[in-house]
């Protein structure tokens, strides 16, 4: 299985640390965050990684290399001025992508049964172009932004939380490469708008993530993940 990690952002919320290193290399428990993320993906059966890089990305490539020493094959896609935003970065990486692949963010740590999620997506109806991992958040860790109906996301509203929503985007999805046909080339676009559109048209699947996820893109999220690691991580669960 293949996973794409979008890790090209500026990490402005994590300054001043991200003035000298990209967000995915921020040290936690003496190790860069991306080490934990890659180990989690590998434990789930992922062996091929595509890293979409931009800001200070050379530091990431220097740290990871081709991934062989980690039992992975790592390839790199470099953000371009003509292809900005999360949608643009993913579209730019299209030549490297499998027919079906995982997508996650460079600050996301999501404990999920990767094989089961991949299989559930493959078993979904033909019109489903992506399956989003969703967590029953009940606004506990952040504002819920997903409404589900059965095994589909029926509404996705980024940045405008709804008190009636019970779930949140957990930070991992399974994508069909064919979905990228809808993303324009050489434009600055966010994936949020496509998630919203696919949900509205019944083309976005939902897969339940049973455990809380972690994100290190905010100070509160970083603190939570540091505590998780200090307490032993999954070995303490």
């Amino acid at each position: 299985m293949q996973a794409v990690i979008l890790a090209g952002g500026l990490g402005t919320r994590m300054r001043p640390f991200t003035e000298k290193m990209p967000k995915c290399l921020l040290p936690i428990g003496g190790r860069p965050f991306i080490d934990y993320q890659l180990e989690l993906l590998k434990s789930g059966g992922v062996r091929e990684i595509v890293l979409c890089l931009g800001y200070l990305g050379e530091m990431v490539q220097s740290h990871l290399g081709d991934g062989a020493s980690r039992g992975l094959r790592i390839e790199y896609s470099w953000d371009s001025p003509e292809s900005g935003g999360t949608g643009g970065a993913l579209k730019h990486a299209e030549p490297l992508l499998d027919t079906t692949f995982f997508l996650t963010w460079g600050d996301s740590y999501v404990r999920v049964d990767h094989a089961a999620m991949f299989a559930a997506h493959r078993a979904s109806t033909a019109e489903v172009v992506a399956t989003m991992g969703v967590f029953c958040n009940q606004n506990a860790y952040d504002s819920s932004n997903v409404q589900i109906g059965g095994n589909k996301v029926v509404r996705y509203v980024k940045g405008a939380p709804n008190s009636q929503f019970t779930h949140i985007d957990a930070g991992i999805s399974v994508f069909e490469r064919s979905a990228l046909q809808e993303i324009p080339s050489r434009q600055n676009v966010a994936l949020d708008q496509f998630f919203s559109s696919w949900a509205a048209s019944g083309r976005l699947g939902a897969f339940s993530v049973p455990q809380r996820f972690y994100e290190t893109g905010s100070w509160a999220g970083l603190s939570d993940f540091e505590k998780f690691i200090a307490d032993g991580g999954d070995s303490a669960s």
Side-chain angles (χ1 to χ4, degrees):
M1 294 187 291
Q2 182 189 60
V4 178
I5 303 175
L6 297 177
L10 297 175
T12 54
R13 290 187 296 169
M14 304 304 291
R15 289 176 178 169
F17 289 162
T18 50
E19 291 175 355
K20 295 183 178 180
M21 70 174 63
K23 185 169 52 176
C24 67
L25 291 185
L26 290 176
I28 297 166
R31 304 175 63 200
F33 170 75
I34 199 166
D35 287 5
Y36 297 104
Q37 186 181 44
L38 292 178
E39 288 174 1
L40 181 65
L41 289 168
K42 183 181 177 182
S43 72
V46 174
R47 293 294 182 272
E48 297 183 6
I49 303 291
V50 174
L51 269 162
C52 296
L53 300 177
Y55 176 69
L56 299 179
E58 295 82 1
M59 296 178 68
V60 182
Q61 186 175 28
S62 177
H63 175 64
L64 297 175
D66 63 5
S69 64
R70 300 167 184 265
L72 298 169
R73 182 163 71 92
I74 300 178
E75 296 182 281
Y76 299 91
S77 175
W78 297 90
D79 296 354
S80 71
E82 298 84 12
S83 302
T86 51
L90 182 59
K91 180 70 173 181
H92 193 62
E94 188 172 6
L96 301 176
L97 305 184
D98 288 349
T99 301
T100 309
F101 58 92
F102 284 100
L103 174 74
T104 191
W105 318 104
D107 57 7
S108 293
Y109 186 91
V110 189
R111 294 171 291 169
V112 67
D113 185 331
H114 294 83
M117 184 175 180
F118 197 84
H121 171 78
R122 282 281 184 87
S124 59
T125 54
E127 71 268 16
V128 171
V129 297
T131 295
M132 176 182 286
V134 296
F135 177 66
C136 189
N137 181 49
Q138 300 285 1
N139 295 302
Y141 301 110
D142 202 343
S143 298
S144 298
N145 58 13
V146 170
Q147 181 181 0
I148 63 171
N151 61 354
K152 288 187 176 181
V153 175
V154 296
R155 285 189 69 195
Y156 175 77
V157 185
K158 184 74 171 181
N162 188 315
S163 60
Q164 297 179 341
F165 290 180
T166 57
H167 288 70
I168 190 171
D169 172 10
I172 191 168
S173 300
V174 182
F175 262 74
E176 290 299 310
R177 188 178 61 207
S178 60
L180 274 61
Q181 296 174 6
E182 302 179 39
I183 300 176
S185 299
R186 301 183 181 278
Q187 289 191 31
N188 191 320
V189 291
L191 282 173
D192 302 343
Q193 66 189 74
F194 298 98
F195 283 138
S196 296
S197 174
W198 295 333
S201 59
R203 295 186 295 155
L204 184 60
F207 186 85
S208 178
V209 173
Q211 303 180 79
R212 70 155 296 186
F213 60 94
Y214 292 89
E215 57 81 23
T216 58
S218 67
W219 292 110
L222 181 66
S223 177
D224 282 351
F225 188 68
E226 286 179 327
K227 185 177 185 304
F228 169 73
I229 293 301
D231 289 344
D234 288 313
S235 64
S237 300

